[in-house]
Amino acid sequence: MNVCVVGTGFTGLVTSVCLAHIGHKVICVDEDGARVSQLQSGMSLITEPSMESMMQKSIQAGRLSFTTELGAGMAHGDIIFVSVSNRLSSSDMGDRNTAKVVGRSMATHLARMPHTYKVIVNQLSSPVQSGNWLRQILLDEMSRPQIKQSSPQDFVIIVKNFSVVVNPVFLRKGFAINDMICPDQIILGSNSKRAISKMKDLYQPLIAHRGVKDEARVPVSFIVTDLMSVHLKEPAHLKQPETMWPIMQIV
């Protein structure tokens, strides 16, 4: 499957490397050209066991690449992870909020691909309403006259041809590769059955525990809920369990 990951921070880089490692073709996007050059050479920006060797193997195999061009990454990706800061405190709700800036740029590119279905994944730990928040940013930007006038006949198609999924990951420093490749559960929040199906296809190698020797291990569980009520609860290995928001379906 073709994947785009926007952001080369801790979560974005681990996600990119792990998804490429299990067989997907991944393009990772960052606006910093120096970071992109370093990563493309196979040098990791973070210290995690096996990170650089996994990066280098996937780069050499043609499954992992890095670019500063958001449009190229989005054109490539059937699934697009947003792995940039999306904290929604009162001090960063404005135009300088990183996720908001990225969301607006993504909307412009989505408007140029009206007939290609895209799944936009909000990946970072964030408030419960962040999925709807990101979706509204995309819709608001695509509603601007400049975009609507450039493709008026395609506007309705554009709006219907993307879905937002909230997919929080909880990665421990020093164990991030293992946490990503061998999760106990995968949490997905979306109002789109089509998007959930795409995400299950993406994670199928993890569900099957490809490369895991312990055959007695309990299968990965999907926790699936809607975009409004997805609860970003940390797994038990990070803190004590809390009351969960309503779960619509457990697969």
Tab-separated table of all heavy atoms in Angstrom, residues 37-100:
chain	number	residue	atom	x	y	z
A	37	SER	N	17.583	15.545	3.649
A	37	SER	CA	18.832	15.045	3.071
A	37	SER	C	19.504	14.047	4.002
A	37	SER	O	20.020	13.010	3.564
A	37	SER	CB	19.785	16.208	2.776
A	37	SER	OG	19.248	17.053	1.783
A	38	GLN	N	19.512	14.351	5.297
A	38	GLN	CA	20.128	13.458	6.269
A	38	GLN	C	19.394	12.120	6.319
A	38	GLN	O	20.012	11.050	6.318
A	38	GLN	CB	20.130	14.101	7.653
A	38	GLN	CG	20.814	13.248	8.725
A	38	GLN	CD	20.889	13.967	10.070
A	38	GLN	OE1	20.752	15.184	10.151
A	38	GLN	NE2	21.103	13.199	11.126
A	39	LEU	N	18.062	12.195	6.335
A	39	LEU	CA	17.267	10.969	6.391
A	39	LEU	C	17.416	10.146	5.116
A	39	LEU	O	17.529	8.918	5.167
A	39	LEU	CB	15.799	11.317	6.625
A	39	LEU	CG	15.458	11.860	8.017
A	39	LEU	CD1	14.084	12.517	8.012
A	39	LEU	CD2	15.520	10.755	9.056
A	40	GLN	N	17.443	10.801	3.978
A	40	GLN	CA	17.557	10.091	2.719
A	40	GLN	C	18.893	9.362	2.597
A	40	GLN	O	19.011	8.353	1.912
A	40	GLN	CB	17.383	11.059	1.540
A	40	GLN	CG	17.177	10.379	0.194
A	40	GLN	CD	15.902	9.531	0.131
A	40	GLN	OE1	14.833	9.951	0.533
A	40	GLN	NE2	16.032	8.301	-0.364
A	41	SER	N	19.893	9.858	3.329
A	41	SER	CA	21.196	9.195	3.329
A	41	SER	C	21.233	7.994	4.271
A	41	SER	O	22.242	7.291	4.354
A	41	SER	CB	22.289	10.192	3.733
A	41	SER	OG	22.201	10.531	5.105
A	42	GLY	N	20.139	7.786	5.013
A	42	GLY	CA	20.064	6.647	5.918
A	42	GLY	C	20.474	6.945	7.337
A	42	GLY	O	20.634	6.025	8.142
A	43	MET	N	20.605	8.233	7.663
A	43	MET	CA	20.991	8.642	9.022
A	43	MET	C	19.747	9.022	9.808
A	43	MET	O	19.023	9.952	9.439
A	43	MET	CB	21.972	9.809	8.958
A	43	MET	CG	23.283	9.488	8.282
A	43	MET	SD	24.355	10.958	8.116
A	43	MET	CE	24.594	11.377	9.854
A	44	SER	N	19.489	8.320	10.889
A	44	SER	CA	18.306	8.579	11.704
A	44	SER	C	18.480	9.844	12.532
A	44	SER	O	19.572	10.163	12.997
A	44	SER	CB	18.034	7.395	12.632
A	44	SER	OG	16.932	7.677	13.477
A	45	LEU	N	17.361	10.552	12.746
A	45	LEU	CA	17.368	11.753	13.586
A	45	LEU	C	17.050	11.428	15.040
A	45	LEU	O	17.110	12.306	15.892
A	45	LEU	CB	16.342	12.755	13.053
A	45	LEU	CG	16.560	13.245	11.614
A	45	LEU	CD1	15.398	14.119	11.184
A	45	LEU	CD2	17.875	13.994	11.500
A	46	ILE	N	16.671	10.189	15.298
A	46	ILE	CA	16.373	9.768	16.666
A	46	ILE	C	17.159	8.503	16.985
A	46	ILE	O	17.592	7.791	16.084
A	46	ILE	CB	14.863	9.520	16.874
A	46	ILE	CG1	14.386	8.371	15.979
A	46	ILE	CG2	14.067	10.772	16.617
A	46	ILE	CD1	12.944	7.977	16.203
A	47	THR	N	17.318	8.240	18.267
A	47	THR	CA	18.060	7.060	18.702
A	47	THR	C	17.081	5.999	19.187
A	47	THR	O	16.450	6.149	20.228
A	47	THR	CB	19.042	7.417	19.832
A	47	THR	OG1	19.927	8.437	19.379
A	47	THR	CG2	19.843	6.196	20.247
A	48	GLU	N	16.926	4.963	18.379
A	48	GLU	CA	16.090	3.823	18.741
A	48	GLU	C	16.792	2.567	18.251
A	48	GLU	O	17.371	2.563	17.148
A	48	GLU	CB	14.709	3.923	18.097
A	48	GLU	CG	13.769	4.918	18.743
A	48	GLU	CD	13.309	4.482	20.123
A	48	GLU	OE1	13.096	3.269	20.330
A	48	GLU	OE2	13.154	5.366	20.998
A	49	PRO	N	16.770	1.492	19.024
A	49	PRO	CA	17.397	0.248	18.585
A	49	PRO	C	16.889	-0.202	17.215
A	49	PRO	O	15.687	-0.205	16.969
A	49	PRO	CB	16.987	-0.748	19.685
A	49	PRO	CG	16.742	0.093	20.893
A	49	PRO	CD	16.164	1.379	20.371
A	50	SER	N	17.806	-0.521	16.317
A	50	SER	CA	17.513	-1.041	14.974
A	50	SER	C	16.979	0.000	14.000
A	50	SER	O	16.726	-0.320	12.827
A	50	SER	CB	16.517	-2.213	15.034
A	50	SER	OG	16.992	-3.255	15.856
A	51	MET	N	16.799	1.240	14.439
A	51	MET	CA	16.194	2.252	13.576
A	51	MET	C	16.981	2.471	12.281
A	51	MET	O	16.437	2.377	11.170
A	51	MET	CB	16.054	3.575	14.332
A	51	MET	CG	15.612	4.759	13.470
A	51	MET	SD	13.947	4.581	12.793
A	51	MET	CE	12.987	5.081	14.224
A	52	GLU	N	18.282	2.735	12.399
A	52	GLU	CA	19.058	3.058	11.199
A	52	GLU	C	19.175	1.875	10.252
A	52	GLU	O	19.078	2.047	9.025
A	52	GLU	CB	20.444	3.599	11.570
A	52	GLU	CG	20.429	5.047	11.982
A	52	GLU	CD	21.782	5.721	11.850
A	52	GLU	OE1	22.790	5.024	11.591
A	52	GLU	OE2	21.841	6.957	12.024
A	53	SER	N	19.358	0.686	10.783
A	53	SER	CA	19.482	-0.484	9.901
A	53	SER	C	18.171	-0.729	9.157
A	53	SER	O	18.172	-1.067	7.963
A	53	SER	CB	19.884	-1.725	10.699
A	53	SER	OG	18.895	-2.075	11.647
A	54	MET	N	17.036	-0.559	9.835
A	54	MET	CA	15.737	-0.716	9.187
A	54	MET	C	15.525	0.356	8.129
A	54	MET	O	15.037	0.083	7.024
A	54	MET	CB	14.614	-0.676	10.232
A	54	MET	CG	14.566	-1.907	11.125
A	54	MET	SD	13.402	-1.720	12.507
A	54	MET	CE	11.850	-1.533	11.658
A	55	MET	N	15.905	1.591	8.458
A	55	MET	CA	15.800	2.688	7.495
A	55	MET	C	16.583	2.380	6.233
A	55	MET	O	16.072	2.484	5.110
A	55	MET	CB	16.350	3.985	8.103
A	55	MET	CG	15.414	4.764	8.971
A	55	MET	SD	16.192	6.291	9.554
A	55	MET	CE	16.512	7.138	8.017
A	56	GLN	N	17.836	2.014	6.424
A	56	GLN	CA	18.729	1.808	5.288
A	56	GLN	C	18.257	0.662	4.395
A	56	GLN	O	18.302	0.762	3.160
A	56	GLN	CB	20.147	1.569	5.797
A	56	GLN	CG	20.765	2.802	6.432
A	56	GLN	CD	21.978	2.508	7.291
A	56	GLN	OE1	22.466	1.382	7.330
A	56	GLN	NE2	22.474	3.515	8.008
A	57	LYS	N	17.773	-0.415	4.998
A	57	LYS	CA	17.279	-1.543	4.204
A	57	LYS	C	16.055	-1.140	3.377
A	57	LYS	O	15.932	-1.513	2.205
A	57	LYS	CB	16.928	-2.716	5.124
A	57	LYS	CG	18.146	-3.419	5.714
A	57	LYS	CD	17.725	-4.531	6.657
A	57	LYS	CE	18.936	-5.217	7.272
A	57	LYS	NZ	18.536	-6.275	8.239
A	58	SER	N	15.147	-0.371	3.981
A	58	SER	CA	13.940	0.025	3.265
A	58	SER	C	14.243	1.058	2.179
A	58	SER	O	13.626	1.051	1.108
A	58	SER	CB	12.902	0.584	4.248
A	58	SER	OG	12.390	-0.447	5.070
A	59	ILE	N	15.193	1.960	2.446
A	59	ILE	CA	15.604	2.932	1.426
A	59	ILE	C	16.215	2.201	0.235
A	59	ILE	O	15.892	2.465	-0.925
A	59	ILE	CB	16.593	3.959	2.010
A	59	ILE	CG1	15.865	4.882	3.004
A	59	ILE	CG2	17.233	4.795	0.901
A	59	ILE	CD1	16.795	5.787	3.790
A	60	GLN	N	17.103	1.251	0.515
A	60	GLN	CA	17.757	0.494	-0.551
A	60	GLN	C	16.764	-0.351	-1.338
A	60	GLN	O	16.926	-0.562	-2.544
A	60	GLN	CB	18.855	-0.390	0.044
A	60	GLN	CG	20.038	0.389	0.604
A	60	GLN	CD	20.978	-0.464	1.435
A	60	GLN	OE1	20.815	-1.679	1.530
A	60	GLN	NE2	21.959	0.169	2.064
A	61	ALA	N	15.723	-0.815	-0.659
A	61	ALA	CA	14.702	-1.637	-1.319
A	61	ALA	C	13.684	-0.800	-2.081
A	61	ALA	O	12.815	-1.350	-2.772
A	61	ALA	CB	13.981	-2.503	-0.290
A	62	GLY	N	13.772	0.538	-1.943
A	62	GLY	CA	12.847	1.421	-2.638
A	62	GLY	C	11.500	1.567	-1.966
A	62	GLY	O	10.544	2.062	-2.574
A	63	ARG	N	11.398	1.143	-0.708
A	63	ARG	CA	10.121	1.250	0.007
A	63	ARG	C	10.021	2.512	0.855
A	63	ARG	O	8.936	2.823	1.352
A	63	ARG	CB	9.932	0.027	0.915
A	63	ARG	CG	9.759	-1.293	0.187
A	63	ARG	CD	9.281	-2.378	1.144
A	63	ARG	NE	10.151	-2.519	2.284
A	63	ARG	CZ	11.207	-3.332	2.348
A	63	ARG	NH1	11.517	-4.087	1.300
A	63	ARG	NH2	11.950	-3.422	3.435
A	64	LEU	N	11.116	3.230	1.054
A	64	LEU	CA	11.117	4.396	1.935
A	64	LEU	C	11.898	5.526	1.292
A	64	LEU	O	13.038	5.340	0.852
A	64	LEU	CB	11.740	4.039	3.291
A	64	LEU	CG	11.861	5.166	4.320
A	64	LEU	CD1	10.479	5.686	4.724
A	64	LEU	CD2	12.619	4.679	5.561
A	65	SER	N	11.279	6.700	1.225
A	65	SER	CA	11.962	7.882	0.714
A	65	SER	C	11.479	9.113	1.463
A	65	SER	O	10.457	9.077	2.171
A	65	SER	CB	11.721	8.048	-0.791
A	65	SER	OG	10.349	8.233	-1.065
A	66	PHE	N	12.215	10.199	1.323
A	66	PHE	CA	11.929	11.439	2.038
A	66	PHE	C	11.926	12.599	1.057
A	66	PHE	O	12.710	12.618	0.103
A	66	PHE	CB	12.976	11.673	3.133
A	66	PHE	CG	13.042	10.566	4.146
A	66	PHE	CD1	13.848	9.448	3.931
A	66	PHE	CD2	12.290	10.614	5.306
A	66	PHE	CE1	13.905	8.415	4.852
A	66	PHE	CE2	12.338	9.579	6.236
A	66	PHE	CZ	13.152	8.479	6.010
A	67	THR	N	11.038	13.570	1.300
A	67	THR	CA	10.922	14.704	0.393
A	67	THR	C	10.445	15.946	1.136
A	67	THR	O	9.865	15.837	2.221
A	67	THR	CB	9.935	14.389	-0.756
A	67	THR	OG1	9.882	15.497	-1.662
A	67	THR	CG2	8.530	14.126	-0.217
A	68	THR	N	10.686	17.107	0.540
A	68	THR	CA	10.141	18.358	1.066
A	68	THR	C	8.840	18.714	0.359
A	68	THR	O	8.183	19.695	0.721
A	68	THR	CB	11.144	19.512	0.874
A	68	THR	OG1	11.455	19.636	-0.517
A	68	THR	CG2	12.426	19.272	1.666
A	69	GLU	N	8.443	17.942	-0.631
A	69	GLU	CA	7.276	18.259	-1.463
A	69	GLU	C	6.015	17.572	-0.934
A	69	GLU	O	5.813	16.378	-1.138
A	69	GLU	CB	7.533	17.829	-2.907
A	69	GLU	CG	8.725	18.509	-3.563
A	69	GLU	CD	8.521	20.020	-3.687
A	69	GLU	OE1	7.350	20.446	-3.891
A	69	GLU	OE2	9.508	20.761	-3.575
A	70	LEU	N	5.178	18.346	-0.249
A	70	LEU	CA	3.939	17.793	0.297
A	70	LEU	C	3.035	17.261	-0.810
A	70	LEU	O	2.419	16.203	-0.662
A	70	LEU	CB	3.196	18.856	1.115
A	70	LEU	CG	1.856	18.442	1.721
A	70	LEU	CD1	2.021	17.274	2.687
A	70	LEU	CD2	1.202	19.631	2.424
A	71	GLY	N	2.958	17.978	-1.920
A	71	GLY	CA	2.107	17.538	-3.019
A	71	GLY	C	2.501	16.180	-3.556
A	71	GLY	O	1.646	15.341	-3.843
A	72	ALA	N	3.804	15.956	-3.683
A	72	ALA	CA	4.285	14.662	-4.183
A	72	ALA	C	3.939	13.546	-3.204
A	72	ALA	O	3.539	12.448	-3.602
A	72	ALA	CB	5.793	14.720	-4.410
A	73	GLY	N	4.098	13.825	-1.914
A	73	GLY	CA	3.771	12.824	-0.902
A	73	GLY	C	2.292	12.481	-0.904
A	73	GLY	O	1.910	11.305	-0.834
A	74	MET	N	1.441	13.513	-1.024
A	74	MET	CA	-0.002	13.272	-1.006
A	74	MET	C	-0.480	12.578	-2.273
A	74	MET	O	-1.404	11.769	-2.233
A	74	MET	CB	-0.741	14.588	-0.793
A	74	MET	CG	-0.544	15.168	0.593
A	74	MET	SD	-1.618	16.559	0.915
A	74	MET	CE	-3.237	15.801	0.812
A	75	ALA	N	0.122	12.901	-3.396
A	75	ALA	CA	-0.240	12.221	-4.636
A	75	ALA	C	0.106	10.733	-4.543
A	75	ALA	O	-0.617	9.883	-5.072
A	75	ALA	CB	0.485	12.868	-5.811
A	76	HIS	N	1.181	10.422	-3.847
A	76	HIS	CA	1.619	9.037	-3.690
A	76	HIS	C	0.735	8.258	-2.723
A	76	HIS	O	0.388	7.098	-2.964
A	76	HIS	CB	3.064	9.019	-3.178
A	76	HIS	CG	3.513	7.692	-2.655
A	76	HIS	ND1	3.964	6.667	-3.468
A	76	HIS	CD2	3.582	7.216	-1.374
A	76	HIS	CE1	4.286	5.632	-2.724
A	76	HIS	NE2	4.068	5.927	-1.452
A	77	GLY	N	0.365	8.872	-1.616
A	77	GLY	CA	-0.251	8.140	-0.513
A	77	GLY	C	-1.739	7.898	-0.662
A	77	GLY	O	-2.514	8.825	-0.883
A	78	ASP	N	-2.141	6.640	-0.516
A	78	ASP	CA	-3.561	6.324	-0.353
A	78	ASP	C	-3.987	6.661	1.071
A	78	ASP	O	-5.131	7.031	1.317
A	78	ASP	CB	-3.818	4.833	-0.619
A	78	ASP	CG	-3.416	4.420	-2.023
A	78	ASP	OD1	-3.817	5.113	-2.974
A	78	ASP	OD2	-2.683	3.417	-2.169
A	79	ILE	N	-3.050	6.477	1.989
A	79	ILE	CA	-3.256	6.833	3.392
A	79	ILE	C	-2.195	7.861	3.762
A	79	ILE	O	-1.012	7.668	3.488
A	79	ILE	CB	-3.163	5.597	4.301
A	79	ILE	CG1	-4.291	4.619	3.951
A	79	ILE	CG2	-3.219	5.987	5.776
A	79	ILE	CD1	-4.263	3.325	4.747
A	80	ILE	N	-2.630	8.968	4.381
A	80	ILE	CA	-1.729	10.077	4.693
A	80	ILE	C	-1.769	10.341	6.191
A	80	ILE	O	-2.796	10.765	6.736
A	80	ILE	CB	-2.132	11.342	3.915
A	80	ILE	CG1	-2.109	11.061	2.401
A	80	ILE	CG2	-1.213	12.510	4.258
A	80	ILE	CD1	-2.895	12.045	1.575
A	81	PHE	N	-0.666	10.068	6.867
A	81	PHE	CA	-0.567	10.299	8.304
A	81	PHE	C	-0.138	11.740	8.573
A	81	PHE	O	0.823	12.231	7.969
A	81	PHE	CB	0.469	9.358	8.926
A	81	PHE	CG	0.004	7.939	9.079
A	81	PHE	CD1	0.143	7.033	8.039
A	81	PHE	CD2	-0.566	7.510	10.267
A	81	PHE	CE1	-0.285	5.719	8.176
A	81	PHE	CE2	-0.992	6.196	10.418
A	81	PHE	CZ	-0.855	5.302	9.370
A	82	VAL	N	-0.836	12.402	9.488
A	82	VAL	CA	-0.448	13.732	9.948
A	82	VAL	C	0.261	13.545	11.279
A	82	VAL	O	-0.365	13.279	12.305
A	82	VAL	CB	-1.669	14.657	10.100
A	82	VAL	CG1	-1.224	16.045	10.548
A	82	VAL	CG2	-2.433	14.751	8.785
A	83	SER	N	1.586	13.649	11.252
A	83	SER	CA	2.397	13.384	12.444
A	83	SER	C	3.161	14.639	12.858
A	83	SER	O	4.348	14.600	13.124
A	83	SER	CB	3.374	12.234	12.175
A	83	SER	OG	2.683	11.040	11.928
A	84	VAL	N	2.421	15.754	12.886
A	84	VAL	CA	2.997	17.012	13.351
A	84	VAL	C	2.259	17.444	14.600
A	84	VAL	O	1.210	16.889	14.939
A	84	VAL	CB	2.902	18.111	12.271
A	84	VAL	CG1	3.703	17.720	11.035
A	84	VAL	CG2	1.455	18.391	11.892
A	85	SER	N	2.794	18.421	15.278
A	85	SER	CA	2.198	18.884	16.534
A	85	SER	C	0.771	19.351	16.305
A	85	SER	O	0.494	20.151	15.407
A	85	SER	CB	3.025	20.037	17.116
A	85	SER	OG	2.400	20.564	18.264
A	86	ASN	N	-0.160	18.838	17.128
A	86	ASN	CA	-1.549	19.280	17.013
A	86	ASN	C	-2.161	19.570	18.377
A	86	ASN	O	-3.333	19.339	18.620
A	86	ASN	CB	-2.391	18.250	16.262
A	86	ASN	CG	-2.393	16.884	16.929
A	86	ASN	OD1	-1.612	16.618	17.841
A	86	ASN	ND2	-3.270	16.011	16.477
A	87	ARG	N	-1.352	20.079	19.285
A	87	ARG	CA	-1.883	20.481	20.592
A	87	ARG	C	-2.861	21.636	20.391
A	87	ARG	O	-2.582	22.559	19.641
A	87	ARG	CB	-0.753	20.893	21.531
A	87	ARG	CG	0.152	19.726	21.926
A	87	ARG	CD	1.163	20.165	22.974
A	87	ARG	NE	1.986	19.061	23.397
A	87	ARG	CZ	3.101	18.685	22.801
A	87	ARG	NH1	3.528	19.333	21.729
A	87	ARG	NH2	3.801	17.662	23.236
A	88	LEU	N	-3.985	21.568	21.087
A	88	LEU	CA	-5.054	22.537	20.858
A	88	LEU	C	-5.254	23.459	22.052
A	88	LEU	O	-6.359	23.772	22.436
A	88	LEU	CB	-6.358	21.792	20.547
A	88	LEU	CG	-6.286	20.789	19.401
A	88	LEU	CD1	-7.653	20.195	19.154
A	88	LEU	CD2	-5.768	21.450	18.152
A	89	SER	N	-4.171	23.922	22.664
A	89	SER	CA	-4.301	24.845	23.782
A	89	SER	C	-4.739	26.210	23.271
A	89	SER	O	-4.652	26.514	22.081
A	89	SER	CB	-2.958	24.986	24.510
A	89	SER	OG	-2.019	25.634	23.678
A	90	SER	N	-5.195	27.068	24.172
A	90	SER	CA	-5.697	28.385	23.775
A	90	SER	C	-4.627	29.233	23.127
A	90	SER	O	-4.917	30.149	22.368
A	90	SER	CB	-6.256	29.118	25.007
A	90	SER	OG	-5.231	29.253	25.998
A	91	SER	N	-3.365	28.929	23.394
A	91	SER	CA	-2.273	29.745	22.871
A	91	SER	C	-1.879	29.378	21.446
A	91	SER	O	-1.180	30.130	20.785
A	91	SER	CB	-1.043	29.611	23.775
A	91	SER	OG	-0.587	28.274	23.783
A	92	ASP	N	-2.308	28.221	20.942
A	92	ASP	CA	-1.864	27.837	19.595
A	92	ASP	C	-3.010	27.400	18.685
A	92	ASP	O	-2.842	26.612	17.786
A	92	ASP	CB	-0.807	26.732	19.662
A	92	ASP	CG	-1.306	25.476	20.342
A	92	ASP	OD1	-2.521	25.351	20.529
A	92	ASP	OD2	-0.467	24.630	20.682
A	93	MET	N	-4.200	27.955	18.938
A	93	MET	CA	-5.334	27.655	18.076
A	93	MET	C	-5.311	28.492	16.811
A	93	MET	O	-6.083	28.273	15.890
A	93	MET	CB	-6.646	27.919	18.824
A	93	MET	CG	-6.979	26.842	19.838
A	93	MET	SD	-7.369	25.273	19.060
A	93	MET	CE	-8.976	25.649	18.392
A	94	GLY	N	-4.442	29.499	16.733
A	94	GLY	CA	-4.408	30.420	15.611
A	94	GLY	C	-3.703	29.858	14.404
A	94	GLY	O	-3.419	28.664	14.301
A	95	ASP	N	-3.390	30.763	13.468
A	95	ASP	CA	-2.837	30.355	12.188
A	95	ASP	C	-1.455	29.729	12.296
A	95	ASP	O	-1.003	29.081	11.364
A	95	ASP	CB	-2.776	31.564	11.251
A	95	ASP	CG	-4.164	32.014	10.830
A	95	ASP	OD1	-5.106	31.224	10.985
A	95	ASP	OD2	-4.291	33.155	10.360
A	96	ARG	N	-0.756	29.923	13.417
A	96	ARG	CA	0.601	29.394	13.542
A	96	ARG	C	0.635	27.988	14.116
A	96	ARG	O	1.691	27.387	14.236
A	96	ARG	CB	1.452	30.350	14.391
A	96	ARG	CG	1.598	31.734	13.771
A	96	ARG	CD	2.468	32.651	14.584
A	96	ARG	NE	3.852	32.198	14.591
A	96	ARG	CZ	4.832	32.816	15.228
A	96	ARG	NH1	4.564	33.921	15.922
A	96	ARG	NH2	6.062	32.360	15.197
A	97	ASN	N	-0.537	27.469	14.479
A	97	ASN	CA	-0.593	26.081	14.921
A	97	ASN	C	-0.110	25.177	13.792
A	97	ASN	O	-0.585	25.255	12.667
A	97	ASN	CB	-2.029	25.723	15.308
A	97	ASN	CG	-2.187	24.257	15.635
A	97	ASN	OD1	-2.453	23.473	14.750
A	97	ASN	ND2	-2.011	23.898	16.879
A	98	THR	N	0.867	24.317	14.080
A	98	THR	CA	1.514	23.525	13.032
A	98	THR	C	0.525	22.649	12.275
A	98	THR	O	0.539	22.598	11.042
A	98	THR	CB	2.626	22.648	13.642
A	98	THR	OG1	3.517	23.478	14.374
A	98	THR	CG2	3.394	21.935	12.549
A	99	ALA	N	-0.331	21.943	13.004
A	99	ALA	CA	-1.288	21.057	12.351
A	99	ALA	C	-2.269	21.841	11.487
A	99	ALA	O	-2.687	21.368	10.431
A	99	ALA	CB	-2.037	20.238	13.395
A	100	LYS	N	-2.613	23.045	11.924
A	100	LYS	CA	-3.540	23.864	11.148
A	100	LYS	C	-2.897	24.310	9.841
A	100	LYS	O	-3.514	24.268	8.772
A	100	LYS	CB	-3.974	25.078	11.962
A	100	LYS	CG	-5.155	25.830	11.370
A	100	LYS	CD	-5.687	26.845	12.364
A	100	LYS	CE	-6.973	27.470	11.849
A	100	LYS	NZ	-7.546	28.413	12.833
